């Protein structure tokens, strides 16, 4: 008899979403904003071992470098960091990825999160005032292109401006190919059509840390017993879509992460914690 409640089902289907989110998903499928064409299969998930190998071998986690096509100009040389991200952070052992989910509130996971060698956080997620629940260590912050005064379409000028004012801070641009390589693997391992939009920052951060670390503990990506419609632990805003996905194929990302989890269901239930191996530990 299980001493804990139900956790995320790795075969969750969009049919079980609330009607509004089913409709949103259908609209994104029809809109196909990025002209995604997909001719591959849609099938039951590969074994966790094979999936880890596919992720390791097919998702190129790289940052834009000085040698990359349009960034080869003399003007860009001064902006892109000289060292690669893996050179900057070195080989990492145990890492934590902290989703910004509302269910982190009152979790008291701070000590456990800070016990890791490196901690990844997202966008503007604060630590001040929330240390007991989310810890205080931040090694890497993954930010989306809306972060710097919402400049989605003026991203490069904003990046340059930030680099001029914070030249000492290693600040990289994730190679955008990565998200589509990851999208293909998400689609191949789902029975339904997934939203033809980039994976969420959460999923990108998980795969990024799998390239840098020996072990990755992910907190409150798969919701614990504290699951809530409060979007972020640091805001009052409510939206079921934050946990289940609307724009992002988040439901399918969570199915895949549950499938690869090497930890226990009890850890998911009590700590919202999933444990994944780093790619260096994966044998194919
Ligand atoms: O909202 P933001 O993108 O900054 O949150 C970081 C990531 O955490 C999301 O991309 C998503 O993967 C995850 N998240 C979640 N459930 C929430 C809020 C965030 O899974 N309620």
């Amino acid at each position: 008899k299980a001493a804990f409640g139900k956790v995320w089902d790795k075969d969750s289907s969009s049919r079980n979403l609330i009607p509004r989110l089913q409709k949103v998903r259908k609209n994104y499928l029809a809109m196909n904003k990025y002209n995604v064409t997909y001719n591959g299969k849609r099938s039951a998930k590969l074994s966790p071992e094979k999936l880890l190998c596919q992720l390791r071998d097919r998702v190129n986690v790289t940052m834009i470098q000085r040698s990359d096509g349009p960034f080869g100009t003399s003007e860009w040389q001064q902006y892109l960091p000289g060292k690669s991200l893996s050179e900057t952070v070195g080989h990492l052992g145990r890492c934590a990825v902290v989703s910004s989910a509302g269910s982190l509130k009152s979790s008291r996971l701070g000590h456990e999160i800070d016990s890791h060698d490196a901690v990844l956080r997202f966008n503007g997620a604060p630590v001040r005032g929330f240390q007991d629940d989310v810890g205080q260590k931040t090694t890497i912050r993954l930010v989306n292109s809306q972060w710097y005064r919402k400049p989605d379409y003026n991203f490069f000028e904003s990046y340059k401006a930030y680099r001029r004012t914070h030249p000492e801070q290693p600040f990289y641009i994730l190679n955008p190919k990565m998200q589509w390589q990851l999208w293909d693997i998400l689609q191949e391992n789902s029975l339904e059509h997934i939203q033809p939009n980039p994976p969420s920052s959460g999923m990108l951060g998980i795969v990024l840390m799998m390239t840098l670390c020996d072990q990755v503990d992910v907190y409150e990506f798969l919701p614990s017993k504290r699951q809530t419609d409060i979007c972020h632990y640091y805001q009052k805003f409510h939206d079921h879509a934050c946990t289940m996905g609307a724009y992002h194929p988040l439901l399918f990302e969570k199915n895949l992460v549950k499938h690869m989890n090497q930890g226990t269901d009890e850890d998911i239930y009590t700590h919202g914690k999933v444990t994944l191996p780093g790619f260096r530990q994966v044998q194919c």
Side-chain angles (χ1 to χ4, degrees), residues 98-103 121-125 142 144 199-204 206 219-223 228-234 239-244 248 250 253-254:
V98 186
S99 89
S100 305
S103 48
R121 301 181 194 275
F122 298 96
N123 297 310
L142 182 60
N144 66 40
S200 73
S201 307
M203 190 69 208
L204 298 175
I206 291 168
Y219 292 92
E220 294 289 359
F221 183 65
L222 301 189
T228 167
D229 281 351
I230 297 171
C231 189
H232 296 121
Y233 67 83
Y234 52 87
D239 189 349
H240 194 52
C242 294
T243 304
M244 304 309 284
H248 298 295
L250 190 59
E253 300 169 11
K254 294 188 181 196

Side-chain angles (χ1 to χ4, degrees), residues 80-251:
L80 295 171
K83 273 204 222 166
S84 72
L85 175 62
S86 59
E87 280 176 290
T88 298
V89 299
H91 273 201
L92 300 171
R94 292 173 59 246
C95 297
V97 173
V98 186
S99 89
S100 305
S103 48
L104 279 158
K105 196 117 218 237
S106 307
S107 68
R108 310 205 51 85
L109 285 166
H111 276 295
E112 177 171 333
I113 289 169
D114 280 345
S115 77
H116 291 79
D117 302 314
V119 178
L120 177 96
R121 301 181 194 275
F122 298 96
N123 297 310
V127 294
R128 251 177 72 196
F130 301 94
Q131 289 99 322
D132 289 350
D133 293 334
V134 304
Q136 52 188 10
K137 184 187 283 188
T138 304
T139 315
I140 301 179
R141 196 172 275 279
L142 182 60
V143 295
N144 66 40
S145 52
Q146 285 149 5
W147 146 87
Y148 195 57
R149 299 191 190 174
K150 301 189 186 293
D152 221 358
Y153 301 105
N154 202 11
F155 170 73
F156 293 110
E157 285 313 311
S158 305
Y159 175 80
K160 288 181 191 168
Y162 190 89
R163 290 285 292 155
R164 280 194 293 269
T165 50
H166 304 77
E168 75 301 330
Q169 189 180 108
F171 184 20
Y172 297 88
I173 305 172
L174 192 57
N175 192 318
K177 273 188 190 166
M178 176 225 175
Q179 57 192 347
W180 296 110
Q181 292 164 339
L182 178 56
W183 187 92
D184 277 343
I185 294 177
L186 284 163
Q187 179 60 88
E188 284 169 19
N189 290 278
S190 303
L191 292 166
E192 304 178 74
H193 292 255
I194 71 171
Q195 288 92 323
N197 300 326
S200 73
S201 307
M203 190 69 208
L204 298 175
I206 291 168
V207 176
L208 170 66
M209 288 311 251
M210 288 170 83
T211 68
L212 300 172
C213 310
D214 293 326
Q215 183 190 306
V216 182
D217 292 328
V218 187
Y219 292 92
E220 294 289 359
F221 183 65
L222 301 189
S224 67
K225 61 184 177 187
R226 294 177 295 277
Q227 177 166 2
T228 167
D229 281 351
I230 297 171
C231 189
H232 296 121
Y233 67 83
Y234 52 87
Q235 283 175 338
K236 289 223 167 82
F237 179 67
H238 285 243
D239 189 349
H240 194 52
C242 294
T243 304
M244 304 309 284
Y247 173 83
H248 298 295
L250 190 59
L251 179 89

